Amino acid sequence: MLVLSLLGGLIAEAEDGHQLWLRKQKEQPVTVLSPLPNPVLDIAVKELKENWQGEANTTVKLELISDKRIKTDGFRISRQLIQANTQLGLLYGTYELLRRQQTGDPIVGISNPAYQRRILNHWDNPNGSIERGYAGKSIFWRNKDLTVTASDRKLWEEYARANASVGINGSVLNNVNASPGMLSTENLGRAKAIADVLRPYGIQVYLSVNFASPVRLGGLKSADPLNADVIAWWKKKTKEVYSMIPDFGGFLVKANSEGQPGPQDFGRTHADGANMMADILKPYKGIVMWRAFVYDAKDKDRARLAYTEFKPLDGKFRDNVIVQVKNGPIDFQPREPFSPLFGAMKKTAVMPEFQITQEYLGHSYQLVYLAPMWEECLKSDTYQEGKGSTVARVTDGSIFAGKYNAIAGVANIGLDTNWTGHHFAQANWYAFGRLAWDHQLSSEKIADEWIKLTFGRAGAGPDWKSKFLNPVKDMMMESREACVNYSMPLGLHHIFSADDHYGPGPWWAPENMRPDWTPPYYHQADSTGIGFDRTKTGSNAVSQYHEPLCSRFNAAETCPEVYLLWFHHLPWDYKMKSGKILWDELCYLYDKGLNEVRGFQKTWDKAEEYVDAERFLHVQRRLKRQTRDAQVYKDGCLLYFQQFSRRPIPFELERPVYNLDFIRSMKPLSINR
Ligand code: GCW
């Protein structure tokens, strides 16, 4: 190997994944004409010079123009010309042109961003830990140590560059379960240092804030949003923030949710709380992203809560408030129908929140490409203004043009060398950015690009395409459905093991535990059948959807089978479209999911000669583990549900290899083995 690299000089640096989809290739000489020197355009020039893969010795021009067909930071590119109305548009055009040189896509046309604000939400805590993070500690915060080192700056710059290359233009630097101390002057100093590094890459910094900060940080007696002292406290704090970070983006707030303080603690509404902050941020052009992730132990159906609380507030929010809604009504499950809050409000801006970190989809141990799930959500029709009112269109300003529109993804980034733990989890970061820029892109197209950029090789022949690109793309495209199959098929949800949210736990229900935190609340399995009855005669959550969806979901015969047990409680012998009874179908799907992962192992092993050894072995090891864990999921769920169905697992299927007692007594599956 050593000899080879000395001789060839062509073998790239160690493929440890740190370079993401921006792997350095040998560049061709190029002349770049830029309208003026400045921090943003200097980056564009540098990128073009260091990464040019087009014809050698050409001249490429960056041109600032004024063209109505180009929106905000959009751009027009051709082989030797990048035009935009803004400097950032020129930077985004640069990355697109360089990307297309590598993917072989035609270098021509206009591209406009779908959302104005394309934001990563980091659930990073000031002590450096990350809630639901599976790729090491925070890249931003290091327990109490606020000194900013050269290597911090280098890493933040690499992070900013990766984001800009896919059009991400905002970062919320800390957890929505926000520490009040985040707004201390010391922490703001570090946020300022981060903002200074991110700025030339077009990335605005935001912070999550704790609603009780005036009390817990400021020493006031109350955090009532209508109290004059409280308002004065937030004004002063906000002024301080803007004095340090003049282009600060705004606040993200999780209020009255999972024990977090909020305006309801003072008899006020979500709108009262959000508007108080929005009024203060307005002169600075800042926004409030107010989360709708709320639920209540007392309600019979958690899935209904966000809509019930927020819909009546439509029209009561300021125009610089955006309500941030998770893709599904419960919580980032492997599959949920879209949240009915998309398409519910006409006078309030609503933004989707996706989860890039794989809290419920295998952490960084499993290969699960999430773009198909997001595509499914964005393309779902809400019917808000008739057919074609997709989630994408009711949130991007096309149907109701609000002042602001945005999309957020909960980041999967940490200090691991490869940033995301699993090499393939990088694809989820990449895909979020690409979809936020263009929600009409297909997840397959995005996978195609990502594989070419991440694993491509100079001089690769047709062999590479048929033996690597295509099979690996197929594997990625199948991976989310496989995960649904071996963990929660047919609309099952929230049956994961407690605390670590990895592996099966349909039995978990300690005495005195809030029922809506236990899986039996969600699967409702008993001798009569399985599933949550959300029909008109059940919790009536179906009524939160517009027609024809309401009727479609309400009747078992017309409800898409992928959501069947989400909306219906059905007998074990219910006849499925396949002709099988429900119990058998469930067994087949669990088995199918497991076999799909076995198939991924084969695909990957066959691809060995096309991948560097480091990344090959890393992914191979993880696929082994994914297979073992999928087996535990399948056996655990089927053996548990079998106690109620009292039917055999169809004899043509593989038999369980674990006993239920053993699985129930296992150490948490997420422990590194
Ligand atoms: O998905 C759940 C997570 C919590 C998270 C919460 C939220 C940040 O288990 O860890 O808290 O949702 O989105 O607020």
Side-chain angles (χ1 to χ4, degrees):
M1 198 55 191
L2 180 68
V3 178
L4 257 185
S5 51
L6 287 177
L7 283 181
L10 280 174
I11 294 179
E13 292 172 40
E15 294 276 19
D16 56 14
H18 193 69
Q19 297 186 53
L20 297 161
W21 49 88
L22 295 164
R23 285 149 69 237
K24 180 82 185 96
Q25 313 280 339
K26 171 114 193 61
E27 76 279 10
Q28 298 295 331
V30 66
T31 305
V32 184
L33 304 178
S34 165
L36 65 161
N38 77 23
V40 177
L41 294 178
D42 290 353
I43 295 171
V45 172
K46 181 165 180 271
E47 293 285 7
L48 287 164
K49 286 198 170 149
E50 291 181 358
N51 299 293
W52 185 254
Q53 302 289 307
E55 217 178 295
N57 301 314
T58 31
T59 300
V60 58
K61 190 171 173 197
L62 298 166
E63 194 178 24
L64 277 171
I65 54 169
S66 173
D67 184 335
K68 288 212 174 67
R69 282 165 300 175
I70 303 175
K71 311 275 180 236
T72 60
D73 291 330
F75 53 81
R76 180 192 289 115
I77 50 171
S78 58
R79 291 217 324 251
Q80 287 165 246
L81 180 63
I82 304 171
Q83 294 173 312
N85 296 334
T86 65
Q87 292 166 20
L88 278 175
L90 292 177
L91 182 63
Y92 295 136
T94 295
Y95 285 118
E96 182 72 28
L97 187 150
L98 292 172
R99 174 163 43 241
R100 292 191 193 190
Q101 286 182 337
Q102 285 194 57
T103 58
D105 290 317
I107 303 179
V108 60
I110 289 183
S111 177
N112 288 319
Y115 292 96
Q116 295 164 355
R117 302 198 182 213
R118 307 170 293 277
I119 304 174
L120 286 183
N121 289 184
H122 290 263
W123 286 357
D124 296 17
N125 299 311
N127 69 4
S129 64
I130 303 181
E131 182 152 351
R132 312 302 173 190
Y134 312 108
K137 298 217 157 184
S138 170
I139 62 168
F140 297 128
W141 307 100
R142 200 172 30 229
N143 202 9
K144 293 195 187 111
D145 174 7
L146 294 170
T147 39
V148 176
T149 65
S151 62
D152 285 336
R153 286 211 175 84
K154 178 167 178 281
L155 193 69
W156 298 339
E157 183 167 1
E158 290 169 346
Y159 160 86
R161 176 179 179 234
N163 280 336
S165 78
V166 290
I168 290 169
N169 66 359
S171 300
V172 181
L173 302 182
N174 64 311
N175 192 354
V176 287
N177 289 327
S179 153
M182 185 48 67
L183 288 175
S184 69
T185 303
E186 298 73 41
N187 280 327
L188 288 178
R190 192 165 171 91
K192 173 196 162 33
I194 298 168
D196 288 344
V197 176
L198 271 43
R199 185 170 299 112
Y201 288 87
I203 297 163
Q204 265 184 300
V205 153
Y206 301 75
L207 290 174
S208 296
V209 295
N210 184 300
F211 199 78
S213 301
V215 178
R216 297 179 48 196
L217 180 65
L220 301 191
K221 291 222 166 52
S222 163
D224 181 346
L226 303 192
N227 174 309
D229 293 340
V230 172
I231 298 171
W233 187 88
W234 281 108
K235 266 199 182 145
K236 195 163 166 235
K237 207 21 113 179
T238 305
K239 192 170 174 198
E240 184 187 359
V241 173
Y242 278 92
S243 72
M244 297 168 104
I245 311 172
D247 55 352
F248 180 71
F251 295 142
L252 170 62
V253 193
K254 171 174 176 178
N256 293 120
S257 159
E258 298 188 327
Q260 292 298 321
Q264 293 176 342
D265 304 346
F266 309 94
R268 314 295 182 195
T269 67
H270 285 288
D272 293 331
N275 292 344
M276 177 270 290
M277 292 182 173
D279 289 341
I280 294 171
L281 286 160
K282 188 148 192 153
Y284 304 100
K285 300 197 168 59
I287 63 167
V288 177
M289 294 170 285
W290 193 270
R291 293 176 92 228
F293 178 62
V294 294
Y295 57 100
D296 184 342
K298 289 190 279 305
D299 201 85
K300 285 200 311 290
D301 181 4
R302 167 172 168 184
R304 294 168 41 102
L305 249 286
Y307 180 102
T308 314
E309 274 198 35
F310 278 83
K311 169 91 167 87
L313 297 175
D314 190 19
K316 303 226 158 72
F317 291 98
R318 301 284 189 264
D319 65 2
N320 57 336
V321 175
I322 314 187
V323 175
Q324 180 165 314
V325 178
K326 290 188 181 183
N327 56 286
I330 300 261
D331 188 11
F332 298 138
Q333 297 301 288
R335 172 167 277 122
E336 301 190 31
F338 70 86
S339 163
L341 261 181
F342 297 118
M345 310 215 261
K346 295 185 187 229
K347 296 179 219 129
T348 307
V350 174
M351 64 187 280
E353 176 178 341
F354 294 148
Q355 196 182 40
I356 309 171
T357 190
Q358 292 165 242
E359 176 178 0
Y360 300 104
L361 290 103
H363 296 192
S364 55
Y365 298 127
Q366 301 192 2
L367 189 162
V368 185
Y369 174 52
L370 301 175
M373 175 165 76
W374 303 330
E375 186 183 1
E376 184 174 293
C377 174
L378 290 165
K379 291 193 173 152
S380 294
D381 202 339
T382 69
Y383 291 91
Q384 183 178 26
E385 292 293 299
K387 205 167 161 33
S389 311
T390 58
V391 170
R393 297 188 69 236
V394 300
T395 53
D396 72 359
S398 348
I399 293 191
F400 300 108
K403 185 158 182 197
Y404 296 105
N405 57 69
I407 185 166
V410 181
N412 61 350
I413 297 159
L415 278 177
D416 277 7
T417 305
N418 72 6
W419 301 88
T420 56
H422 197 305
H423 285 290
F424 275 80
Q426 297 178 353
N428 294 329
W429 176 7
Y430 180 86
F432 170 76
R434 298 289 287 135
L435 278 174
W437 181 274
D438 180 357
H439 55 44
Q440 295 307 302
L441 282 176
S442 73
S443 46
E444 185 168 357
K445 169 76 180 74
I446 298 172
D448 185 88
E449 284 176 4
W450 179 80
I451 299 168
K452 286 175 177 162
L453 300 169
T454 306
F455 292 105
R457 295 180 154 191
D463 224 31
W464 186 82
K465 190 166 179 221
S466 63
K467 300 216 170 117
F468 187 83
L469 174 66
N470 291 339
V472 170
K473 191 169 28 179
D474 290 347
M475 167 172 76
M476 286 173 73
M477 289 305 295
E478 197 183 330
S479 60
R480 183 274 186 138
E481 202 62 41
C483 176
V484 169
N485 288 336
Y486 63 69
S487 63
M488 305 184 212
L490 293 178
L492 286 175
H493 50 287
H494 209 294
I495 59 169
F496 46 81
S497 82
D499 304 329
D500 63 341
H501 298 180
Y502 186 94
W507 47 81
W508 191 80
E511 249 180 273
N512 305 324
M513 176 56 67
R514 264 175 77 155
D516 61 338
W517 281 352
T518 69
Y521 170 99
Y522 297 94
H523 63 63
Q524 307 262 321
D526 58 22
S527 60
T528 69
I530 181 170
F532 199 121
D533 184 357
R534 296 192 166 103
T535 64
K536 289 182 182 163
T537 50
S539 79
N540 200 21
V542 289
S543 68
Q544 297 181 334
Y545 291 91
H546 295 285
E547 287 296 1
L549 291 181
C550 172
S551 304
R552 195 177 295 161
F553 292 154
N554 188 56
E557 306 73 54
T558 53
C559 179
E561 287 193 343
V562 291
Y563 304 133
L564 197 61
L565 303 178
W566 183 282
F567 288 112
H568 297 269
H569 185 82
L570 294 168
W572 294 105
D573 62 356
Y574 175 81
K575 248 311 187 5
M576 302 292 291
K577 298 210 171 78
S578 64
K580 294 189 193 77
I581 60 164
L582 172 58
W583 164 252
D584 288 356
E585 185 89 1
L586 211 53
C587 295
Y588 266 87
L589 288 172
Y590 273 105
D591 189 68
K592 182 173 180 211
L594 171 58
N595 282 317
E596 284 174 300
V597 188
R598 292 208 173 109
F600 300 162
Q601 288 188 282
K602 291 180 195 155
T603 300
W604 191 247
D605 282 357
K606 273 194 258 175
E608 180 168 4
E609 65 177 287
Y610 300 95
V611 197
D612 51 284
E614 191 170 347
R615 289 187 296 175
F616 175 77
L617 288 172
H618 167 108
V619 174
Q620 188 189 45
R621 277 181 77 105
R622 279 172 160 70
L623 282 170
K624 281 182 196 155
R625 177 179 182 153
Q626 188 170 352
T627 306
R628 291 200 306 269
D629 293 348
Q631 178 90 52
V632 174
Y633 235 124
K634 171 195 158 188
D635 291 358
C637 290
L638 287 184
L639 292 172
Y640 171 78
F641 290 135
Q642 193 177 34
Q643 303 175 110
F644 305 106
S645 79
R646 296 163 191 259
R647 289 167 190 272
I649 292 173
F651 296 109
E652 60 278 21
L653 297 183
E654 302 275 357
R655 319 318 292 163
V657 300
Y658 296 108
N659 292 325
L660 184 57
D661 288 349
F662 174 74
I663 293 178
R664 292 186 62 160
S665 67
M666 274 169 95
K667 292 218 179 74
L669 208 56
S670 62
I671 291 173
N672 214 346
R673 285 171 297 139

